[in-house]
């Protein structure tokens, strides 16, 4: 039974209120929402706070369990849980990235990563939770290593994008990092051996079937052999790479354009995400959320 | 008179249409002569003012580069001293980066401003410096020193 045979319906089950400014990003806490563990969600906002919401076992509705405030001095733009769910990273326009740990019922800021010259736009943990990537308006991508005792060391500062870097995402199984930017390109970064020597191994620009305007988001499918990107150019693009080749240590296989989805949104597409089940969701400035499933031939 | 006779002699020696051209050549070439004179004057003027400007730009750039390199040299020296006192004060990653910075500062072609690698080396130095400072969680900048461009403001 393929997804295309199913019919999908998006139904609003609850509206969470509490933030006093726009909500920029959300993140589901890993290992919650299954096995009897109530689902937990983090949201970050222009009101400089992060809220943690938990689904009540009794009523099934989400309640605000914690407000992470008085740390960031400007909009919190991005939040991401470490793969184990132990730590929450929050990136802010105040140029810092805060790391939060749950202590009892509350969350404490256990570390503050400074280095970006201005607004941090995105944070992402690698699959093993050993590395954290951040990116920002200063056009740079930073890679940090997590050490015992919630210590963080800067592994590398990557320059290459010529404009604001909107998002960074780690590959779901390999330590390969992708970034997308206001400079219309998508960059792939990898480490040379084990030497902390990270560099750009591929740049996807307009001439390689890439986007013709700001690329706002990127997301990998669960198997990591495909990724989806969305842009101000009103298209969603799907890319594929020979993962087998990469995993067998045969170098970095380049990402190739598979297809372009256009005509579905008539305003900037700000968000795209590939679910574990293979559904791609996109959200755009036309106030629409669209769901895409792979057809017979694509 | 002597010169006139000389000219008359050469006139008689080359008694064909070419010799008539010779006499008029110097007046026809007036334009070219003046062009050449003007060009030479302008060239020499440009050469000396260009040298002056070049000297000023060189001084300014040299100062800025020297100041930045010197700042990194100072930081590296202090860090190395700290490591000598306590080899565990910095992580192995930070120590490796400090060593790499040291090599870069030494390898910077100070006496070859036209060497292509100057931008790359300086860029690498700046990135490594930012990464080390971020890990140490310190803010180190050398903007306590007035740059040549700031000097006007102070005055």
């Amino acid at each position: 039974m393929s997804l295309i045979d199913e019919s999908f319906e998006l139904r609003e089950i609850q509206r969470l209120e509490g933030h006093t400014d726009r909500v920029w990003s959300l993140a589901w806490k890993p290992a919650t929402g299954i096995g009897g563990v109530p689902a937990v969600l983090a949201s970050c906002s222009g009101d400089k706070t992060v809220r943690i919401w938990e689904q009540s076992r009794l009523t099934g509705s989400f309640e605000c369990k914690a407000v992470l405030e008085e740390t960031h001095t400007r909009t919190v733009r991005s939040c991401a849980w470490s793969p184990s769910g132990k730590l929450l990273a929050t990136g802010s326009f105040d140029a810092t990235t805060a790391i939060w740990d749950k202590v009892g019922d509350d969350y404490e800021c256990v570390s503050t990563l400074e280095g970006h010259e201005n607004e941090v736009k995105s944070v992402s943990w690698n699959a093993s939770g050993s590395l954290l990537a951040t990116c920002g308006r200063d056009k740079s991508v930073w890679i940090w290593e997590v050490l015992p005792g919630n210590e963080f060391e800067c592994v590398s500062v990557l320059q290459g994008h010529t404009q604001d870097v909107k998002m960074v995402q780690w590959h779901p199984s390999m330590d390969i990092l992708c970034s997308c930017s206001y400079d219309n390109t998508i960059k792939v970064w990898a480490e040379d051996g084990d030497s902390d020597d990270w560099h750009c191994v591929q740049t996807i620009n307009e001439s390689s079937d890439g986007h013709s305007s700001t690329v706002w988001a990127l997301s990998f499918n669960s198997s990591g052999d495909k990724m989806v990107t969305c842009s101000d150019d009103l298209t969603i693009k799907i890319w594929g790479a020979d993962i087998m080749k990469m995993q067998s240590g045969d170098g970095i296989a380049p990402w190739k354009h598979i297809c372009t989805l256009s005509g579905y949104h008539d305003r900037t597409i700000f968000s795209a995400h590939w679910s574990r089940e293979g559904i791609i969701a996109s959200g755009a400035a036309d106030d629409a959320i669209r769901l895409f499933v792979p057809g017979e031939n694509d | 008179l002597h010169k006139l006779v000389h000219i008359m002699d050469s006139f008689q020696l080359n008694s064909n249409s070419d010799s008539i051209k010779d006499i008029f050549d110097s007046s026809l070439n007036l334009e070219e002569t003046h062009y050449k004179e003007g060009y030479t004057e302008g060239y020499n003027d440009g050469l000396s003012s260009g040298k002056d400007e070049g000297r000023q730009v060189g001084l300014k750039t040299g100062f800025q580069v020297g100041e930045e390199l010197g700042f990194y040299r100072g930081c590296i020296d202090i860090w190395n001293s700290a490591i000598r006192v306590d080899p565990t004060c910095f992580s192995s990653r930070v120590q490796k980066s400090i060593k790499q910075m040291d090599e870069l500062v030494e390898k910077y072609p100070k006496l070859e401003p036209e060497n292509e690698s100057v931008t790359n080396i300086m860029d690498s130095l700046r990135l490594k410096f930012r990464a080390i400072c971020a890990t140490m969680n310190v803010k180190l900048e050398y903007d306590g020193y007035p740059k040549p461009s700031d000097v006007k403001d102070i005055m």
Side-chain angles (χ1 to χ4, degrees), chain A residues 74-87:
Chain A
R74 285 186 67 190
T75 292
V76 188
R77 176 69 173 79
S78 173
C79 56
W81 296 94
S82 64
S84 64
K86 182 174 191 302
L87 301 173

Side-chain angles (χ1 to χ4, degrees), chain B:
Chain B
L1 191 70
H2 190 73
K3 226 185 201 168
L4 200 59
V5 170
H6 186 71
I7 289 170
M8 297 286 285
D9 281 348
S10 53
F11 189 88
Q12 275 170 338
L13 279 166
N14 312 311
S15 48
N16 47 27
S17 54
D18 283 340
S19 49
I20 298 190
K21 232 204 318 185
D22 282 343
I23 290 192
F24 290 111
D25 262 348
S26 56
S27 39
L28 282 172
N29 283 342
L30 255 161
E31 201 181 303
E32 203 186 316
T33 315
H34 284 170
Y35 176 87
K36 276 189 190 152
E37 268 179 37
Y39 181 91
T40 312
E41 228 178 276
Y43 186 90
N44 289 334
D45 261 355
L47 201 61
S48 69
S49 66
K51 256 192 196 157
D52 272 343
E53 199 182 315
R55 187 175 294 121
Q56 282 175 35
V57 170
L59 193 66
K60 179 172 172 203
T61 311
F63 184 93
Q64 286 173 332
V65 169
E67 187 190 45
E68 193 169 355
L69 279 180
F71 175 75
Y72 294 141
R73 177 82 265 148
C75 290
I76 295 162
D77 286 349
I78 293 289
W79 291 332
N80 282 336
S81 302
I83 292 167
R84 276 194 294 274
V85 170
D86 173 12
T88 66
C89 68
F90 300 134
S91 75
S92 55
R93 166 179 283 128
V94 169
Q95 292 197 27
K96 182 172 151 211
S97 292
I98 292 170
K99 206 177 249 157
Q100 287 171 338
M101 267 192 85
D102 199 330
E103 283 164 8
L104 284 169
V105 170
E106 286 316 295
K107 147 172 138 166
Y108 188 97
K110 292 186 265 283
L111 299 177
E112 297 166 57
E114 312 239 319
N115 187 316
E116 283 164 8
S117 65
V118 295
T119 337
N120 287 344
I121 297 180
M122 197 51 99
D123 284 345
S124 300
L125 274 168
R126 288 176 183 153
L127 285 179
K128 289 225 179 298
F129 184 69
R130 282 175 77 188
I132 293 171
C133 289
T135 300
M136 288 186 189
N137 217 346
V138 289
K139 272 197 169 57
L140 285 174
E141 280 158 26
Y142 61 104
D143 50 13
Y145 283 64
K147 292 193 169 43
S149 50
D150 297 329
V151 174
K152 300 195 276 288
D153 302 338
I154 292 173
M155 299 230 226

Side-chain angles (χ1 to χ4, degrees), chain A residues 110 202 281:
Chain A
V110 296
Q202 190 184 358

Side-chain angles (χ1 to χ4, degrees), chain A residues 236-253:
Chain A
I236 293 160
K237 288 179 185 278
I238 316 264
W239 310 84
D242 189 348
I243 292 297
M244 293 304 186
K245 182 166 171 252
M246 280 199 260
Q247 275 166 347
S248 64
D250 216 4
I252 308 289

Side-chain angles (χ1 to χ4, degrees), chain A residues 6-247:
Chain A
E6 311 214 20
S7 60
F8 294 99
E9 190 195 308
L10 266 179
R11 194 169 42 91
E12 184 187 304
I13 59 173
Q14 194 185 347
R15 200 167 279 221
L16 307 179
E17 286 173 8
H19 281 299
T20 55
D21 200 310
R22 71 184 61 180
V23 181
W24 280 97
S25 190
L26 307 158
W28 289 104
K29 185 168 174 179
T32 67
I34 55 168
V37 181
V40 174
L41 178 68
S43 61
C44 59
S45 163
D47 67 9
K48 308 173 198 164
T49 74
V50 175
R51 280 175 180 259
I52 310 293
W53 312 83
E54 194 176 302
Q55 190 171 33
S56 156
R57 277 178 222 263
L58 243 56
T59 65
S61 58
F62 285 82
E63 293 158 1
C64 183
K65 288 300 193 185
V67 181
L68 281 46
E69 55 195 341
E70 265 146 51
T71 297
H72 286 301
T73 55
R74 285 186 67 190
T75 292
V76 188
R77 176 69 173 79
S78 173
C79 56
W81 296 94
S82 64
S84 64
K86 182 174 191 302
L87 301 173
L88 178 69
T90 58
S92 165
F93 282 179
D94 67 10
T96 73
T97 301
I99 310 293
W100 306 81
D101 197 352
K102 193 160 187 219
V103 179
D105 272 341
D106 234 327
Y107 286 83
E108 248 177 48
C109 175
V110 296
S111 193
T112 303
L113 310 180
E114 294 184 22
H116 278 289
E117 285 170 10
N118 46 47
E119 294 88 343
V120 177
K121 298 295 176 96
S122 176
V123 295
S124 175
W125 298 86
N126 72 341
S128 62
S130 61
L131 300 172
L132 178 71
T134 61
C135 67
R137 184 167 69 84
D138 64 3
K139 309 170 199 162
S140 65
V141 173
W142 290 58
I143 299 180
W144 308 82
E145 186 179 10
V146 191
L147 300 169
N150 292 328
E151 288 289 310
F152 283 79
E153 270 193 355
C154 175
V155 172
S156 194
V157 180
L158 307 173
Q159 296 198 326
H161 279 296
T162 56
Q163 297 282 5
D164 188 0
V165 189
K166 300 294 188 188
M167 188 181 252
V168 274
Q169 284 287 301
W170 286 98
H171 187 273
S173 55
M174 293 184 291
D175 280 346
I176 290 174
L177 183 67
C178 283
S179 59
C180 59
S181 162
Y182 184 83
D183 68 9
N184 309 351
T185 72
I186 298 150
K187 282 183 181 282
V188 185
W189 310 86
E191 192 178 13
D192 207 3
D194 216 0
S195 60
D196 280 0
D197 187 18
W198 289 80
H199 50 268
C200 179
V201 297
Q202 190 184 358
T203 298
I204 302 171
N205 56 20
E206 201 171 346
S207 58
S208 31
D209 290 317
H211 290 288
S212 55
S213 189
T214 304
V215 189
W216 280 97
L218 72 94
S219 175
F220 290 96
N221 67 351
S222 53
S223 53
D225 66 336
K226 292 202 180 66
M227 71 172 169
V228 62
T229 59
C230 64
S231 163
D232 179 61
D233 69 6
L234 315 183
T235 71
I236 293 160
K237 288 179 185 278
I238 316 264
W239 310 84
D242 189 348
I243 292 297
M244 293 304 186
K245 182 166 171 252
M246 280 199 260
Q247 275 166 347

